[in-house]
Amino acid sequence: MMSRRFPLFALLAFLAAEAVLIQQSGVSGVKAALEHAARLLGVPYNTLVVLSGTTLLGLASGVIGSFAVLRRRALVGDAVAHAALPGLCVAFLLAGTKSFAVLLTGAAVAGLLGSFAIGAIQRYSRIKADAAIGIVLTVFYGAGIALSRRIQDDPTGRQAGLDSFLLGKTAGMVSQDILLIGLVAANVLLVTALLYKEFKLVIFDSAFARVQAWPALAIEYVLFGLLVVTAVIGLPAVGIVLMAALLIIPAVAARFWTDHLGTMLALAGFFGAVTGGAGTLASASWPELPAGPIIVIAGAIVFAVSALVAPRRGVVARLATHFRFRVRVARQNLLRTLYELSESSIDAPPRVGFEMLAAARSWSAPALRAWLAMARRRGEIEGDTHAGWRLTPAGMARAADIVRRHRLWELFLVRQADIAPDHVDRGADEIEHVVTSSMMALLERELHEVGRWPEPAVPVSVHPIPEARA
């Protein structure tokens, strides 16, 4: 059994390896590697720098944003990004320098304060999560705008470049930014891999984690710490306003494709990387367009494609499932109607006229023609519009099973739920089409055990059934 201290030891070992690697290569090594890769790929050096940065940022944002989306805290990333603005301003006022590391440190501290403020408001008040996020987002952002205006009005502060953090300045990335983003992305992925089981437990059932003596609160803070670091590191690229899009859109798009957390994390990371890379390439093709908003638009396209064509959860798949369900219900209703109209002479079922069938279910003529044509292709009915329709032997067997299901549910509703017999037809009609064979077998077994199994196999209806007119 793996020790709970193993993730900590593995993380420390990885950090030590990172430190050695940085000492050996550093920014100059990253720059040399990028220049070599640019020559091999035949792309401009600056384009490759920006492409590498946005792709790594999208990868990390997609993975860590998935936990926030599944925890129903998707807007926490937005709040953290906005909460970072006063941290940038305070860091500049205190340090009096435009140092990139100092500004991001201030942003990270403010982002963490914002994250803690959201948790404290929820924990010590009756305010819901959405309201707490809204409070923190607006208050921190308002304070940041006020401080930013104060700095911009000062002649010495106009060179701070704080405006670039609002909408991002992707084209201004340098090799030092790539090193920083790469380290953050690697650490986010490593911590996620090491604490995958702990994160999974906390986001899906934090109460159970606390009962099992897991440090749920500490794990949650580690998770939001990674979220804050990722949001802060992305501010120079896409800005405060658009960073939330990188955290939320890839994760939501991945959710359409899978129900498995591991697969979702992989897909979200892939979608985030594609979003960053595609947006950068599009921006490089149209230099007059800002890269940050184009990256977000690329993410929106990924989301739209996922929402449309993803299996099971996509719009097309859901429409197809709904259509197949409606067709199945209509076919079963047609067979049940023919059976019940022929029940008085089931051994030699009479033909039922088109008008009588249409009136029995209030079907429109085109819809009834479509259901009749489908049932005839399946060999369940025979006849035509002029002579009338009746069930074939195969159709009779299927219709008997459908009617049996319907009447068993009617019996259940009458005897167990004390519903009047003349009120159960619609209720049973809604249930029978979604009940599985295993549920029907369970119902039949329980009816046998309590001595209420009806005879014959197709019970008599609990309410009057109209008969076919000759």
Side-chain angles (χ1 to χ4, degrees), residues 406-425 427-428 431 447 452 460-463:
H406 177 80
R407 293 181 181 176
L408 283 177
W409 276 111
E410 284 186 335
L411 280 172
F412 179 84
L413 294 174
V414 169
R415 295 178 179 177
Q416 304 298 326
D418 293 330
I419 299 177
D422 56 347
H423 285 69
V424 297
D425 183 58
I431 295 173
L447 287 173
R452 289 185 173 182
V460 178
S461 176
V462 296
H463 53 80

Short mmCIF file of all heavy atoms in Angstrom, two decimals, residues 406-425 427-428 431 447 452 460-463:
data_model
loop_
_atom_site.label_atom_id
_atom_site.label_comp_id
_atom_site.label_asym_id
_atom_site.label_seq_id
_atom_site.Cartn_x
_atom_site.Cartn_y
_atom_site.Cartn_z
N HIS A 406 -47.68 -2.59 -19.37
CA HIS A 406 -48.54 -1.44 -19.05
C HIS A 406 -49.53 -1.80 -17.94
O HIS A 406 -49.72 -1.05 -16.98
CB HIS A 406 -49.28 -1.02 -20.33
CG HIS A 406 -50.25 0.10 -20.11
ND1 HIS A 406 -49.86 1.42 -20.03
CD2 HIS A 406 -51.60 0.09 -19.93
CE1 HIS A 406 -50.92 2.17 -19.83
NE2 HIS A 406 -52.00 1.40 -19.76
N ARG A 407 -50.14 -2.96 -18.04
CA ARG A 407 -51.16 -3.31 -17.06
C ARG A 407 -50.58 -3.73 -15.72
O ARG A 407 -51.24 -3.55 -14.69
CB ARG A 407 -52.07 -4.40 -17.64
CG ARG A 407 -52.87 -3.87 -18.81
CD ARG A 407 -53.80 -4.87 -19.41
NE ARG A 407 -54.51 -4.27 -20.54
CZ ARG A 407 -55.34 -4.93 -21.33
NH1 ARG A 407 -55.58 -6.23 -21.12
NH2 ARG A 407 -55.94 -4.31 -22.33
N LEU A 408 -49.37 -4.28 -15.73
CA LEU A 408 -48.72 -4.55 -14.45
C LEU A 408 -48.45 -3.26 -13.69
O LEU A 408 -48.64 -3.18 -12.47
CB LEU A 408 -47.41 -5.31 -14.68
CG LEU A 408 -47.54 -6.80 -15.02
CD1 LEU A 408 -46.17 -7.40 -15.28
CD2 LEU A 408 -48.22 -7.55 -13.87
N TRP A 409 -48.03 -2.26 -14.42
CA TRP A 409 -47.80 -0.97 -13.75
C TRP A 409 -49.12 -0.35 -13.30
O TRP A 409 -49.18 0.29 -12.25
CB TRP A 409 -47.05 -0.01 -14.67
CG TRP A 409 -45.58 -0.23 -14.62
CD1 TRP A 409 -44.79 -0.73 -15.60
CD2 TRP A 409 -44.74 0.02 -13.49
NE1 TRP A 409 -43.49 -0.82 -15.16
CE2 TRP A 409 -43.43 -0.36 -13.88
CE3 TRP A 409 -44.95 0.50 -12.21
CZ2 TRP A 409 -42.34 -0.26 -13.02
CZ3 TRP A 409 -43.86 0.61 -11.36
CH2 TRP A 409 -42.58 0.24 -11.76
N GLU A 410 -50.18 -0.55 -14.10
CA GLU A 410 -51.48 -0.05 -13.66
C GLU A 410 -51.90 -0.75 -12.37
O GLU A 410 -52.40 -0.11 -11.43
CB GLU A 410 -52.53 -0.29 -14.75
CG GLU A 410 -52.43 0.68 -15.92
CD GLU A 410 -53.56 0.51 -16.90
OE1 GLU A 410 -54.13 -0.60 -16.97
OE2 GLU A 410 -53.87 1.48 -17.60
N LEU A 411 -51.70 -2.07 -12.31
CA LEU A 411 -52.04 -2.82 -11.10
C LEU A 411 -51.22 -2.32 -9.91
O LEU A 411 -51.74 -2.16 -8.79
CB LEU A 411 -51.78 -4.31 -11.32
CG LEU A 411 -52.84 -5.08 -12.09
CD1 LEU A 411 -52.33 -6.49 -12.40
CD2 LEU A 411 -54.14 -5.15 -11.30
N PHE A 412 -49.94 -2.10 -10.16
CA PHE A 412 -49.07 -1.61 -9.09
C PHE A 412 -49.55 -0.26 -8.57
O PHE A 412 -49.63 -0.02 -7.35
CB PHE A 412 -47.63 -1.49 -9.60
CG PHE A 412 -46.66 -0.97 -8.59
CD1 PHE A 412 -46.08 -1.81 -7.66
CD2 PHE A 412 -46.33 0.38 -8.56
CE1 PHE A 412 -45.18 -1.32 -6.72
CE2 PHE A 412 -45.44 0.87 -7.62
CZ PHE A 412 -44.87 0.02 -6.70
N LEU A 413 -49.90 0.64 -9.48
CA LEU A 413 -50.35 1.98 -9.07
C LEU A 413 -51.68 1.92 -8.33
O LEU A 413 -51.91 2.66 -7.37
CB LEU A 413 -50.46 2.88 -10.30
CG LEU A 413 -49.14 3.21 -11.01
CD1 LEU A 413 -49.39 4.00 -12.29
CD2 LEU A 413 -48.21 4.00 -10.09
N VAL A 414 -52.56 1.00 -8.77
CA VAL A 414 -53.87 0.89 -8.12
C VAL A 414 -53.74 0.25 -6.73
O VAL A 414 -54.29 0.75 -5.74
CB VAL A 414 -54.83 0.07 -9.01
CG1 VAL A 414 -56.11 -0.28 -8.25
CG2 VAL A 414 -55.18 0.85 -10.26
N ARG A 415 -52.95 -0.81 -6.64
CA ARG A 415 -52.90 -1.58 -5.38
C ARG A 415 -51.88 -1.02 -4.38
O ARG A 415 -52.10 -1.10 -3.18
CB ARG A 415 -52.56 -3.04 -5.70
CG ARG A 415 -53.65 -3.73 -6.50
CD ARG A 415 -53.26 -5.16 -6.83
NE ARG A 415 -54.30 -5.84 -7.60
CZ ARG A 415 -54.19 -7.07 -8.06
NH1 ARG A 415 -53.09 -7.76 -7.84
NH2 ARG A 415 -55.18 -7.62 -8.74
N GLN A 416 -50.78 -0.51 -4.88
CA GLN A 416 -49.73 -0.04 -3.96
C GLN A 416 -49.79 1.45 -3.70
O GLN A 416 -49.42 1.91 -2.62
CB GLN A 416 -48.34 -0.41 -4.53
CG GLN A 416 -48.17 -1.88 -4.82
CD GLN A 416 -48.29 -2.75 -3.57
OE1 GLN A 416 -47.90 -2.34 -2.49
NE2 GLN A 416 -48.87 -3.94 -3.73
N ALA A 417 -50.20 2.23 -4.71
CA ALA A 417 -50.24 3.69 -4.54
C ALA A 417 -51.65 4.21 -4.32
O ALA A 417 -51.84 5.43 -4.18
CB ALA A 417 -49.63 4.36 -5.76
N ASP A 418 -52.65 3.31 -4.31
CA ASP A 418 -54.05 3.70 -4.06
C ASP A 418 -54.52 4.79 -5.01
O ASP A 418 -55.17 5.77 -4.61
CB ASP A 418 -54.22 4.17 -2.60
CG ASP A 418 -54.02 3.04 -1.61
OD1 ASP A 418 -54.33 1.89 -1.97
OD2 ASP A 418 -53.56 3.30 -0.49
N ILE A 419 -54.15 4.65 -6.27
CA ILE A 419 -54.63 5.58 -7.29
C ILE A 419 -55.88 4.98 -7.94
O ILE A 419 -55.95 3.78 -8.18
CB ILE A 419 -53.54 5.84 -8.35
CG1 ILE A 419 -52.31 6.46 -7.67
CG2 ILE A 419 -54.05 6.75 -9.46
CD1 ILE A 419 -51.15 6.68 -8.62
N ALA A 420 -56.86 5.83 -8.20
CA ALA A 420 -58.12 5.35 -8.78
C ALA A 420 -57.86 4.73 -10.15
O ALA A 420 -57.01 5.21 -10.91
CB ALA A 420 -59.09 6.52 -8.93
N PRO A 421 -58.56 3.62 -10.48
CA PRO A 421 -58.30 2.93 -11.76
C PRO A 421 -58.45 3.83 -12.98
O PRO A 421 -57.73 3.65 -13.97
CB PRO A 421 -59.36 1.81 -11.76
CG PRO A 421 -59.62 1.56 -10.31
CD PRO A 421 -59.52 2.89 -9.64
N ASP A 422 -59.35 4.80 -12.93
CA ASP A 422 -59.52 5.66 -14.10
C ASP A 422 -58.48 6.77 -14.17
O ASP A 422 -58.56 7.65 -15.04
CB ASP A 422 -60.92 6.26 -14.12
CG ASP A 422 -61.23 7.02 -12.84
OD1 ASP A 422 -60.48 6.86 -11.87
OD2 ASP A 422 -62.23 7.76 -12.82
N HIS A 423 -57.48 6.77 -13.26
CA HIS A 423 -56.43 7.79 -13.29
C HIS A 423 -55.04 7.19 -13.51
O HIS A 423 -54.05 7.91 -13.46
CB HIS A 423 -56.41 8.58 -11.97
CG HIS A 423 -57.52 9.56 -11.84
ND1 HIS A 423 -58.84 9.18 -11.69
CD2 HIS A 423 -57.53 10.92 -11.87
CE1 HIS A 423 -59.59 10.25 -11.60
NE2 HIS A 423 -58.84 11.32 -11.72
N VAL A 424 -54.95 5.87 -13.73
CA VAL A 424 -53.63 5.24 -13.80
C VAL A 424 -53.10 5.08 -15.21
O VAL A 424 -51.91 4.81 -15.40
CB VAL A 424 -53.64 3.86 -13.11
CG1 VAL A 424 -53.95 4.00 -11.64
CG2 VAL A 424 -54.62 2.92 -13.80
N ASP A 425 -53.97 5.22 -16.21
CA ASP A 425 -53.55 4.93 -17.58
C ASP A 425 -52.39 5.84 -18.01
O ASP A 425 -51.38 5.39 -18.53
CB ASP A 425 -54.72 5.09 -18.54
CG ASP A 425 -54.32 4.72 -19.96
OD1 ASP A 425 -53.88 3.59 -20.17
OD2 ASP A 425 -54.44 5.59 -20.85
N GLY A 427 -50.30 7.63 -16.09
CA GLY A 427 -49.10 7.39 -15.29
C GLY A 427 -48.34 6.16 -15.74
O GLY A 427 -47.12 6.18 -15.89
N ALA A 428 -49.08 5.05 -15.95
CA ALA A 428 -48.43 3.82 -16.43
C ALA A 428 -47.85 4.02 -17.82
O ALA A 428 -46.79 3.48 -18.15
CB ALA A 428 -49.45 2.68 -16.43
N ILE A 431 -44.47 5.55 -17.50
CA ILE A 431 -43.44 4.74 -16.85
C ILE A 431 -42.98 3.59 -17.73
O ILE A 431 -41.79 3.30 -17.83
CB ILE A 431 -43.99 4.18 -15.51
CG1 ILE A 431 -44.27 5.32 -14.54
CG2 ILE A 431 -43.01 3.19 -14.90
CD1 ILE A 431 -44.98 4.87 -13.29
N LEU A 447 -44.54 -9.33 -7.17
CA LEU A 447 -45.97 -9.64 -7.27
C LEU A 447 -46.22 -11.11 -6.97
O LEU A 447 -47.22 -11.47 -6.32
CB LEU A 447 -46.49 -9.28 -8.67
CG LEU A 447 -46.65 -7.78 -8.95
CD1 LEU A 447 -47.02 -7.55 -10.42
CD2 LEU A 447 -47.73 -7.18 -8.06
N ARG A 452 -49.87 -11.63 -5.59
CA ARG A 452 -50.71 -10.74 -6.39
C ARG A 452 -50.38 -10.85 -7.87
O ARG A 452 -50.64 -9.94 -8.63
CB ARG A 452 -50.53 -9.30 -5.93
CG ARG A 452 -51.14 -9.04 -4.58
CD ARG A 452 -51.03 -7.58 -4.21
NE ARG A 452 -51.76 -7.30 -2.99
CZ ARG A 452 -51.87 -6.09 -2.45
NH1 ARG A 452 -51.32 -5.06 -3.04
NH2 ARG A 452 -52.55 -5.92 -1.34
N VAL A 460 -56.09 -8.41 -17.11
CA VAL A 460 -57.23 -7.63 -17.57
C VAL A 460 -57.02 -6.19 -17.13
O VAL A 460 -56.53 -5.91 -16.04
CB VAL A 460 -58.54 -8.19 -16.98
CG1 VAL A 460 -59.73 -7.35 -17.41
CG2 VAL A 460 -58.72 -9.64 -17.42
N SER A 461 -57.39 -5.27 -18.02
CA SER A 461 -57.19 -3.85 -17.69
C SER A 461 -58.05 -3.45 -16.50
O SER A 461 -59.16 -3.96 -16.31
CB SER A 461 -57.53 -2.99 -18.91
OG SER A 461 -57.44 -1.63 -18.59
N VAL A 462 -57.52 -2.54 -15.70
CA VAL A 462 -58.25 -2.08 -14.52
C VAL A 462 -59.29 -1.03 -14.88
O VAL A 462 -60.06 -0.59 -14.04
CB VAL A 462 -57.29 -1.49 -13.48
CG1 VAL A 462 -56.34 -2.55 -12.97
CG2 VAL A 462 -56.51 -0.31 -14.05
N HIS A 463 -59.31 -0.62 -16.17
CA HIS A 463 -60.30 0.36 -16.61
C HIS A 463 -60.86 -0.10 -17.95
O HIS A 463 -60.25 -0.92 -18.66
CB HIS A 463 -59.67 1.76 -16.73
CG HIS A 463 -58.43 1.79 -17.59
ND1 HIS A 463 -58.48 1.81 -18.96
CD2 HIS A 463 -57.12 1.78 -17.26
CE1 HIS A 463 -57.25 1.82 -19.43
NE2 HIS A 463 -56.40 1.79 -18.42
#
